[in-house]
Amino acid sequence: MDILLAIAIMALGAVVLGAALGFASIKFKVEGDPLIEKIEAILPQTQCGQCGYPGCKPYAEAIANGEEINKCPPGGTEGVQRLADLLGREVKPLDAEEKPKQVAIIDENTCIGCTLCIQACPVDAIIGAAKQMHVIIGQQCTGCELCLPPCPVECIHMEVIAENIDSWKWKYPVVEIKAAPIKEAA
Amino acid sequence: MLMNLFKFKGGVKPPTNKTQSLGLPIAMAPMPSRLVVPLHQSIGGTPRPVVEAGDKVLKGQLIGEADGWISAAVHAPTSGTVVEVAMHVQPHPSGLDAMCVVIEPDGKDEWIVREPVDYKSLTPEQVRERLQQAGVVGLGGAVFPTHGKLTASKTVPMEEMVVNGAECEPFITCDDLLMRERAEEVVRGIGIFRDLLQPKKVLIGIEDNKPEAAAAMRAAVEAVGEDFEVIQVPTLYPAGGAKQLIRVLTGKEVPASKRSTDLGVQCFNVATAYTAWRAIAHGEPVVSRLVTITGNVHEPRNYEVLIGTPMDELLKLATPHPDTDGIVMGGPMMGFLVPQPDVPVVKATNCLIAHSDRLFPPKAPEMPCIRCGSCAQACPHELQPFEMYWFSRAKNFGKTQEYHIFDCIECGCCSFVCPSRIPLVQYFRFAKSEIWAREREKNAADQAKERFEFKQYREEREKAEKAEKLAKAAAAQAAKKAAEAAAAAAAGEVPAPAAEASSPAPVAAPSAADAEKAAKLATIQAAMERAKAQREAAQPKNTEHLTPEQQRAAEEIESRRATAGLVPPETPVNEKSE
């Protein structure tokens, strides 16, 4: 008799807990992978595809699935560092050379108004219409260079964004000590 | 007048070095050879230039129009000719340049038509508008447009208005002399602010090392017939910080990331009140300011200087000693070495100190932090500079924000007391500018992401819409063809016997299917014909009877097109339009 009671109590407990867990899994369901979102927040959102993926989100998904973290040149060494911190992986040198931040500029005299760059721009930062001159909205250009290859007359070039008083940063006050080159005794 | 004063925590007592420049009255600086007036001299939007090279301007004429509400206009400091509107190096630690209007004075110093008004006849909005148009900004150093501070809060009643004549930074004496010599105009300017904000009390705080200024202000307050209280506060750096002076005079402590207006207190500098009075009652915009010239010079003195005067010309007036090797703008605690000696005086320039190693011996090298806590005791904002230092040094910017790095006013007390001579403020400035840069990058990334996602969504939608349209068109076409075929069949079957007409359904069904097939074929045929016609139309015309020259030109163009990698004209160009 006792044993039956014990079994009944355990069974009841299992049913109650199971129901609670089932309810929680529906009620508190996590949409999407939170890790992917965290990775994506670190990526610079230039949508340039230099990593080999069609945008920052696909690359974030790939990183979550084990892809290397050093394939994002616009993110730079610092981006690699932050990804490594987030994922607990080794910091690796960047898989490409790091470039300063750039903006694309259309040479207005050469532009023929073909709209090909407008279709290529991932962030809709180019204004224009067929057979009308096109122009790039500087503030919205991410410097991804995706508009360069489609241009049939090569009228788009990249310009490095110069530092101005508002964007100027105080320098790091720590002077790094480097070993002086040893002079050979004459 | 006995009043209970409060204390702020921390503070330091550096040697004041003020007597050197107090010996002589204010003098007008002579007209410089040229004036370089930066357009961006206040917090907020950069004014737009309204003059061009070659324009003749009069003293006080508008040359830069305020851009937005938090922005103040810029005026020509004297009459003359605009030489250029171009980029020039700024008195800024970066040494970068910004847009300036360069004016060559004609020597006449001829004013525009000045319109003095009685501000009591104006509405508060009109007074604020006039102050903005006259380029009145906070001359204590922060250069915040003054009109932006003159709107009383709707929720918090205005209790006290604090007028800052503390001038706590060593070497600087321009506010001291202004109060001694022009006290009445300062008091009248305070009167304008009082009438706009309607505070219950007006407190004028002056450090007790300036008894003459305090006496002059008291006399002026009495002469004008106001009820402002002139209060001498203990000399302790940085008693002239807005939050510190408010604490000393009212006992109110402005909490982190809140403004003094949230507690019903507003703070103005005495020089700001003076310029506001000149702007309203004399119609004179801010074209000059008092500047203390001191340091390593023979004759330290205060000068009234036109905005845009090159600093090296100004320094010559006080005859600097030969070992002078630089100019510090501001005081020794918060000032900085200007990047080159000919940068212009701006509205924020209250003091120029001729720098030499004799006066400011170079600091011994930085030593490791020994965690003595002196900096925390000296910090007037009750921050923990040593903690912020470690995290700034480690570039752990999140942690620096947890320690409220943005409440740091960069007064330099911590660096002043540090026994290891660590330039703490440099670390905090570095951390702050890094955090701002990151914030900008984050915003740009968020915007790019949003735009990218919208573009993807738009492309999907367009694709779906196109597919739907095509499907609809095809269905309509088929239905039409079917109807036609059915009609044709019906027409052919008209003479048929009625017996057959009673059962048209089985016959109609196969005929409808056939008709559909036929219709499809017909549409394909029609499309092919259309394409052919189009192709023919696209063929180059007028190719017969060409002169050899035209032929050559055409060939040349063709070859250029070929080298440019363009598709040959035979294939239709509009492939991309799906």
Side-chain angles (χ1 to χ4, degrees):
Chain A
M1 191 61 208
D2 279 355
I3 192 157
L4 283 181
L5 189 68
I7 289 169
I9 288 170
M10 292 310 283
L12 190 72
V15 166
V16 168
L17 289 175
L21 282 173
F23 173 75
S25 74
I26 294 163
K27 175 84 181 173
F28 304 112
K29 191 171 165 57
V30 178
E31 292 286 344
D33 189 344
L35 183 63
I36 292 174
E37 268 168 40
K38 278 185 191 160
I39 297 170
E40 211 194 348
I42 293 174
L43 296 176
Q45 302 299 331
T46 46
Q47 319 292 353
C48 61
Q50 289 179 63
C51 51
Y53 292 89
C56 293
K57 192 160 196 177
Y59 182 44
E61 281 159 10
I63 289 178
N65 292 327
E67 173 64 289
E68 293 293 345
I69 56 173
N70 61 347
K71 292 193 167 176
C72 177
T77 316
E78 206 193 307
V80 178
Q81 176 73 51
R82 287 173 68 194
L83 284 173
D85 287 348
L86 175 71
L87 301 163
R89 293 200 206 163
E90 284 283 311
V91 177
K92 283 186 180 164
L94 202 61
D95 199 16
E97 67 177 304
E98 207 170 328
K99 282 189 200 163
K101 220 171 145 14
Q102 300 183 102
V103 64
I105 307 231
I106 291 180
D107 176 16
E108 293 150 6
N109 295 321
T110 326
C111 175
I112 53 168
C114 68
T115 73
L116 288 179
C117 59
I118 295 181
Q119 293 162 38
C121 180
V123 291
D124 282 339
I126 308 179
I127 302 180
K131 292 183 186 167
Q132 307 284 323
M133 188 186 77
H134 300 349
V135 95
I136 293 173
I137 312 168
Q139 287 104 321
Q140 269 142 19
C141 174
T142 61
C144 68
E145 303 185 11
L146 286 180
C147 52
L148 298 187
C151 180
V153 290
E154 291 184 10
C155 71
I156 309 178
H157 67 277
M158 304 303 293
E159 254 178 39
V160 174
I161 299 174
E163 204 173 34
N164 64 20
I165 282 196
D166 294 322
S167 68
W168 175 79
K169 295 192 280 186
W170 286 90
K171 300 292 166 278
Y172 188 49
V174 178
V175 181
E176 277 171 48
I177 298 168
K178 285 180 194 153
I182 300 158
K183 279 182 194 154
E184 294 286 324
Chain B
M1 217 177 307
L2 207 66
M3 190 178 153
N4 192 15
L5 287 182
F6 299 84
K7 266 190 183 155
F8 64 89
K9 209 179 155 293
V12 293
K13 286 193 173 177
T16 57
N17 280 309
K18 286 183 188 259
T19 46
Q20 296 96 313
S21 52
L22 283 170
L24 295 163
I26 300 169
M28 287 298 297
M31 187 67 68
S33 56
R34 66 170 198 166
L35 291 156
V36 181
V37 187
L39 286 168
H40 199 198
Q41 293 193 45
S42 66
I43 306 267
T46 305
R48 291 179 298 269
V50 294
V51 288
E52 291 175 355
D55 285 0
K56 292 259 183 273
V57 289
L58 293 176
K59 182 172 186 161
Q61 186 179 327
L62 187 77
I63 55 175
E65 200 175 35
D67 180 32
W69 177 241
I70 297 301
S71 175
V74 180
H75 304 81
T78 186
S79 59
T81 318
V82 176
V83 183
E84 55 174 352
V85 180
M87 304 292 272
H88 282 273
V89 177
Q90 296 295 299
H92 186 269
S94 66
L96 293 169
D97 40 15
M99 204 50 99
C100 298
V101 175
V102 182
I103 296 170
E104 196 174 272
D106 59 9
K108 291 182 208 150
D109 210 23
E110 192 183 332
W111 273 100
I112 43 156
V113 183
R114 284 170 279 181
E115 288 170 20
V117 285
D118 179 10
Y119 76 92
K120 291 199 167 114
S121 66
L122 300 175
T123 62
E125 288 76 37
Q126 283 171 319
V127 176
R128 284 193 283 269
E129 172 101 24
R130 264 172 189 268
L131 289 175
Q132 186 188 25
Q133 292 309 319
V136 177
V137 297
L139 295 180
V143 284
F144 189 86
T146 302
H147 61 274
K149 289 167 72 178
L150 284 168
T151 312
S153 163
K154 286 190 183 72
T155 49
V156 187
M158 187 55 66
E159 298 279 343
E160 291 109 347
M161 191 171 99
V162 169
V163 178
N164 190 341
E167 201 167 54
C168 57
E169 177 123 9
F171 283 97
I172 309 176
T173 55
C174 59
D175 287 350
D176 188 356
L177 276 182
L178 178 82
M179 288 186 285
R180 287 191 201 185
E181 296 190 15
R182 302 174 187 178
E184 193 197 318
E185 284 170 294
V186 174
V187 170
R188 288 187 189 277
I190 298 169
I192 300 180
F193 295 163
R194 191 263 327 270
D195 288 349
L196 286 176
L197 285 177
Q198 312 250 327
K200 289 188 187 129
K201 267 197 278 185
V202 177
L203 309 169
I204 305 173
I206 301 172
E207 272 193 352
D208 56 12
N209 61 357
K210 299 184 236 325
E212 294 92 341
M217 287 296 283
R218 277 205 188 100
V221 167
E222 214 152 289
V224 177
E226 295 284 6
D227 58 351
F228 307 154
E229 289 174 52
V230 178
I231 300 151
Q232 288 194 292
V233 299
T235 301
L236 178 67
Y237 180 84
K243 287 187 176 179
Q244 282 69 35
L245 192 63
I246 288 169
R247 166 84 188 152
V248 169
L249 292 178
T250 68
K252 289 180 184 172
E253 197 164 310
V254 184
S257 64
K258 273 206 171 182
R259 281 183 233 166
S260 61
T261 38
D262 298 333
L263 305 176
V265 187
Q266 189 62 287
C267 186
F268 295 97
N269 183 268
V270 283
T272 314
Y274 172 76
T275 51
W277 175 252
R278 296 299 297 183
I280 300 289
H282 297 266
E284 291 176 7
V286 183
V287 292
S288 65
R289 67 156 297 147
L290 295 189
V291 180
T292 309
I293 319 267
T294 182
N296 193 34
V297 293
H298 278 292
E299 205 172 62
R301 190 174 189 170
N302 280 281
Y303 288 92
E304 175 142 16
V305 181
L306 296 179
I307 304 295
T309 305
M311 287 183 184
D312 51 352
E313 283 191 34
L314 198 55
L315 201 67
K316 273 192 201 124
L317 301 175
T319 38
H321 294 298
D323 62 336
T324 300
D325 58 358
I327 303 174
V328 175
M329 176 174 136
M333 300 294 283
M334 292 183 73
F336 59 91
L337 268 170
V338 295
Q340 57 189 54
D342 64 344
V343 293
V345 166
V346 291
K347 288 176 186 174
T349 312
N350 48 8
C351 179
L352 297 182
I353 304 176
H355 181 275
S356 78
D357 285 348
R358 194 155 45 89
L359 194 63
F360 301 107
K363 265 192 171 183
E366 178 182 338
M367 302 288 282
C369 173
I370 55 169
R371 311 184 182 205
C372 63
S374 302
C375 49
Q377 279 166 7
C379 180
H381 261 273
E382 299 180 45
L383 300 173
Q384 282 161 287
F386 58 95
E387 296 275 9
M388 299 194 313
Y389 158 67
W390 291 324
F391 291 124
S392 302
R393 196 181 162 114
K395 303 186 186 174
N396 189 345
F397 301 121
K399 273 288 197 190
T400 61
Q401 275 173 290
E402 278 175 34
Y403 281 92
H404 302 287
I405 196 166
F406 281 104
D407 285 316
C408 168
I409 55 168
E410 302 174 18
C411 64
C413 288
C414 49
S415 312
F416 183 78
V417 297
C418 180
S420 291
R421 302 173 296 265
I422 299 169
L424 290 150
V425 177
Q426 295 299 321
Y427 283 94
F428 305 153
R429 284 173 173 162
F430 159 73
K432 282 183 190 178
S433 61
E434 282 294 329
I435 292 167
W436 280 322
R438 258 155 226 231
E439 195 69 17
R440 280 196 298 271
E441 262 165 39
K442 180 90 187 41
N443 287 343
D446 284 349
Q447 202 189 19
K449 187 178 170 198
E450 198 177 302
R451 292 178 74 85
F452 177 63
E453 278 168 2
F454 181 75
K455 175 166 173 147
Q456 279 187 323
Y457 159 75
R458 198 193 65 216
E459 277 173 350
E460 289 292 311
R461 191 189 60 194
E462 271 168 12
K463 216 182 256 174
E465 274 172 6
K466 201 174 248 173
E468 197 182 333
K469 219 162 142 192
L470 278 178
K472 248 187 204 161
Q477 196 89 353
K480 201 170 139 200
K481 284 279 148 76
E484 264 171 30
E493 280 163 16
V494 166
E500 234 174 300
S502 64
S503 60
V507 186
S511 81
D514 280 349
E516 213 168 289
K517 223 180 234 171
K520 245 183 205 164
L521 271 175
T523 39
I524 290 167
Q525 195 66 32
M528 275 167 75
E529 253 155 47
R530 264 204 312 280
K532 203 176 162 197
Q534 251 172 15
R535 225 177 11 250
E536 264 158 27
Q539 282 298 325
K541 287 169 197 150
N542 284 336
T543 47
E544 304 96 38
H545 315 300
L546 290 177
T547 62
E549 266 168 68
Q550 284 168 329
Q551 192 71 43
R552 249 203 321 281
E555 270 161 20
E556 214 172 281
I557 291 165
E558 283 308 321
S559 68
R560 256 217 310 280
R561 284 171 68 91
T563 51
L566 285 179
V567 279
E570 283 77 28
T571 54
V573 188
N574 50 353
E575 261 177 357
K576 63 165 176 19
S577 60
E578 295 161 341

